[in-house]
Amino acid sequence: MENVNIEKLHSDLLTVNMGPQHPATHGVLRVEIKTDSEIVAEATPYIGYLHRCMEKHAENLDYRGVIPFVDRMDYLGAMSMEWGYALAIEKMLGTEVPKRAEYIRVIVAELQRVASHLMYFGTYAIDLGAFTPFLYAFQDREEILRLFEELSGARLLYNYIWIGGVWNDITDEQLRRIEKFCDKMDENLDKYHALVGMNKIFRDRTANVGVITPEQAYEFGATGPVLRGSGVNWDLRKNKTYGIYDQFDFDVIVGKGEMGTVGDCWDRYYVRMFEMKESLKILRQAVAGIEEGPVMGKVPKIIKVPEGEIYVKTECPRGELGYHIVSDGGKTPYRLKVKSSCFTHVSMLPELGKGQMIADFVATIGSIDIVLGEVDR
């Protein structure tokens, strides 16, 4: 052994690009990963592939003309994108929204939440190697898209919630269909949870993986299901209510660490699955209580917003969405700035990725449920 020449093995980190079109990145996001074998040493997200300069563009559009652009931020939650913007302008104008329109807004927003969470459920299963849940999710989501198409004429970018109300009324037949959908969806969610959430492989892939502590969630400014998955009871529909949400009885779902650690990927799955149940609860109450009347308030043909500024935030499927609007009294916004939840959640990836196995990092990215159109705007 004395004659053995021991040469020290030199190794470098390997750089791997995940994206910009990788299925696990859920849109055009590139994450540059430096790996030490299978372990992620560094993860750096690069954004901007979808940037449309929407906020600057809005300064050259009249207030009504901005709505189709906000649709394109979170194209899986377009109804919720519209509502927040309309709410901000209505508050600046002092416009009263008819009660029937308020009910319809709640109905379409909660249907949108269900559709968005179903998309998460299906695509997250694909991230982890299961295809069948994706088909179930799209089958259910199709019923919501069909209704939205009847209401607005579009399947994805609706331009339905207008300043002062909604573009089109909802019929009694459509309300009955929503009731039936709620009954069916309630049963389906139980089956899906048994099929996926309680599945041993799924639990092994998500429990104790990608843990976001409540402290980390606060530090990064996480909101929505990501924040609630960390055990924090915060939902704008309850805590800073808007519209007519204060009239409905529903619970805020938070992560409890039932399968592992509070704030892991399984908890974020759990929050979204059971939030859909709460949305169904709200939908039943809204359909039962909807009032007759107009669906559009008194809004001038040419909207001029009084000079001033406002910040309004609402609870969207992926978290809080804030609009900061500055008006100089003219027909177009002087300045429009959006605070989006997905942008915040992407900023957590370097912290979450460090030290994880590559396969676990895929599970972590999927669990924060990002839409890059909202990140880039």
Side-chain angles (χ1 to χ4, degrees), residues 149-182:
E149 188 176 8
E150 290 170 18
L151 287 175
S152 69
R155 283 175 59 83
L156 200 67
L157 308 170
Y158 309 109
N159 193 15
Y160 178 67
I161 297 180
W162 282 7
I163 298 165
V166 295
W167 177 71
N168 190 22
D169 202 354
I170 195 165
T171 66
D172 290 343
E173 187 270 333
Q174 287 164 335
L175 292 172
R176 297 294 82 78
R177 273 166 51 198
I178 292 170
E179 282 181 326
K180 286 182 183 174
F181 172 79
C182 289

Side-chain angles (χ1 to χ4, degrees), residues 10 109 230 251 268:
H10 178 73
S230 297
D251 297 319
R268 290 190 281 282

Side-chain angles (χ1 to χ4, degrees), residues 48-320:
Y49 295 95
L50 272 180
H51 191 55
R52 291 182 292 267
C53 209
M54 170 257 168
E55 289 156 323
K56 193 67 182 171
H57 200 167
E59 295 172 16
N60 297 289
L61 298 165
D62 63 41
Y63 284 98
R64 280 197 184 91
V66 175
I67 293 176
F69 284 80
V70 301
D71 272 339
R72 285 158 174 76
M73 290 192 296
D74 180 356
Y75 37 80
L76 300 180
M79 288 292 190
S80 306
M81 301 289 108
E82 295 170 5
W83 192 1
Y85 173 77
L87 199 60
I89 305 301
E90 286 157 6
K91 282 181 181 289
M92 294 184 88
L93 287 172
T95 301
E96 191 173 337
V97 178
K99 205 63 183 291
R100 185 173 177 84
E102 292 280 21
Y103 274 97
I104 295 173
R105 286 179 174 190
V106 169
I107 289 170
V108 295
E110 293 309 314
L111 283 171
Q112 184 78 88
R113 194 179 313 279
V114 173
S116 176
H117 285 355
L118 279 172
M119 176 67 93
Y120 153 81
F121 168 71
T123 54
Y124 194 46
I126 285 186
D127 287 345
L128 302 182
F131 185 67
T132 306
F134 178 78
L135 299 177
Y136 289 145
F138 264 60
Q139 203 171 22
D140 294 328
R141 181 173 172 263
E142 179 62 25
E143 291 194 38
I144 299 174
L145 295 194
R146 200 174 297 137
L147 180 74
F148 284 176
E149 188 176 8
E150 290 170 18
L151 287 175
S152 69
R155 283 175 59 83
L156 200 67
L157 308 170
Y158 309 109
N159 193 15
Y160 178 67
I161 297 180
W162 282 7
I163 298 165
V166 295
W167 177 71
N168 190 22
D169 202 354
I170 195 165
T171 66
D172 290 343
E173 187 270 333
Q174 287 164 335
L175 292 172
R176 297 294 82 78
R177 273 166 51 198
I178 292 170
E179 282 181 326
K180 286 182 183 174
F181 172 79
C182 289
D183 294 340
K184 191 182 80 171
M185 201 63 226
D186 236 353
E187 290 179 15
N188 285 354
L189 286 171
D190 292 336
K191 291 177 194 167
Y192 299 161
H193 186 53
L195 175 71
V196 176
M198 304 311 289
N199 180 286
K200 185 179 184 315
I201 299 171
F202 182 81
R203 291 203 311 260
D204 289 347
R205 292 292 313 275
T206 55
N208 296 313
V209 172
V211 175
I212 302 173
T213 65
E215 292 75 22
Q216 281 177 313
Y218 280 128
E219 285 172 9
F220 280 94
T223 56
V226 175
L227 177 67
R228 292 191 285 276
S230 297
V232 180
N233 189 331
W234 179 262
D235 187 319
L236 289 176
R237 294 173 297 170
K238 282 272 190 189
N239 300 96
K240 301 281 182 185
T241 192
Y242 57 93
I244 54 169
Y245 272 116
D246 57 346
Q247 297 181 16
F248 301 112
D249 177 34
F250 64 100
D251 297 319
V252 176
I253 307 297
V254 298
K256 299 171 184 171
E258 286 184 18
M259 295 296 160
T261 312
V262 173
D264 58 16
C265 291
W266 196 90
D267 269 356
R268 290 190 281 282
Y269 154 84
Y270 169 82
V271 166
R272 291 191 183 92
M273 291 303 282
F274 284 84
E275 266 187 11
M276 283 194 267
K277 287 253 182 190
E278 296 305 312
S279 290
L280 300 179
K281 205 188 282 182
I282 295 171
L283 280 166
R284 286 194 182 98
Q285 294 172 63
V287 169
I290 191 167
E291 299 177 10
E292 294 297 327
V295 295
M296 181 57 73
K298 291 180 182 174
V299 182
K301 284 186 178 176
I302 298 176
I303 295 176
K304 285 187 176 180
V305 172
E307 193 174 334
E309 62 184 297
I310 196 168
Y311 181 75
V312 169
K313 54 186 178 180
T314 52
E315 188 72 40
C316 295
R318 284 165 191 76
E320 291 183 14

